[in-house]
Amino acid sequence: MLGLKRGTVALFPHSVEWEITAQKCIEHLNAILGAVAIDIQHIGSTSITGIKAKPIIDIVVGVRSFESVEPFVQNLEGNGFIFRIREDGNWLFACGDFEKDTRTHHIHFVIYGGKEWNDYIHFRDYLNAFSDKALLYEAEKIRLAGLYSTDRNAYCEEKGRVVQILLQEADDYFQKLDKLD
């Protein structure tokens, strides 16, 4: 299964199909964006092996500047990537069945090598490297999904607390690795 009604929370067991779907999306984005995309990666819970996740694929696109993306917005939207949010440091596009208010993909545009990029990549890589941390994260997600199945904003806000703790651990871990190089 792929997709979830906007605003709701439901978790599903990890599926290898998520990676296949993410790779197809990455290829499609590369074809649209060309050299504007420095790197495109599958992120979020669907990229963490073995844990339950909302069946929504998260992709991060690293770019040099948001100005370089502006000329591609209309083409992205014509290809089903609908521009949703423009925030400092993160532009969000969504895919899905908008008539049914269902989302299947979230595409995050961030500055390559910046804080947002590093946070997404470090979080994913840390949880994939340390299954005990991934399982801790999964347990919190399961608990919160039980409390907030119809309120994704509350779910995400509460989940943010454990994300920040794990993100700090991930940053510490990768800083130590960088010092060893």
Side-chain angles (χ1 to χ4, degrees), residues 25-173:
C25 183
I26 289 168
E27 290 168 11
H28 192 192
L29 286 164
N30 267 320
I32 295 168
L33 297 166
V36 167
I38 299 169
D39 194 5
I40 305 176
Q41 296 280 324
H42 180 199
I43 57 164
S45 294
T46 59
S47 71
I48 301 167
T49 304
I51 70 167
K52 291 183 176 182
K54 295 186 311 292
I56 299 172
I57 304 297
D58 282 289
I59 303 288
V60 64
V61 180
V63 297
R64 286 188 198 349
S65 71
F66 292 111
E67 292 77 22
S68 68
V69 178
E70 284 284 352
F72 294 89
V73 170
Q74 187 174 4
N75 193 12
L76 285 161
E77 288 193 329
N79 278 276
F81 300 98
I82 307 304
F83 201 5
R84 304 301 296 166
I85 299 170
R86 182 186 307 238
E87 297 176 338
D88 287 341
N90 194 345
W91 286 10
L92 177 68
F93 289 74
C95 300
D97 185 336
F98 290 90
E99 288 182 18
K100 293 181 181 177
D101 207 21
T102 300
R103 305 297 183 263
T104 58
H105 296 70
H106 290 147
I107 314 300
H108 307 265
F109 282 76
V110 302
I111 302 301
Y112 179 79
K115 180 180 178 359
E116 290 83 4
W117 174 268
N118 290 332
D119 284 352
Y120 285 132
I121 302 303
H122 286 171
F123 189 78
R124 177 200 64 197
D125 291 353
Y126 183 69
L127 293 185
N128 276 321
F130 297 97
S131 61
D132 59 323
K133 299 297 182 176
L135 291 174
L136 180 138
Y137 180 55
E138 179 188 48
E140 182 66 359
K141 288 165 52 85
I142 291 168
R143 183 184 77 78
L144 293 171
L147 295 173
Y148 302 113
S149 64
T150 60
D151 188 350
R152 193 178 306 167
N153 288 336
Y155 168 84
C156 288
E157 187 175 318
E158 290 290 321
K159 183 180 72 163
R161 293 185 178 111
V162 73
V163 167
Q164 286 305 312
I165 291 167
L166 291 169
L167 195 52
Q168 184 60 58
E169 290 177 14
D171 287 343
D172 293 345
Y173 173 76

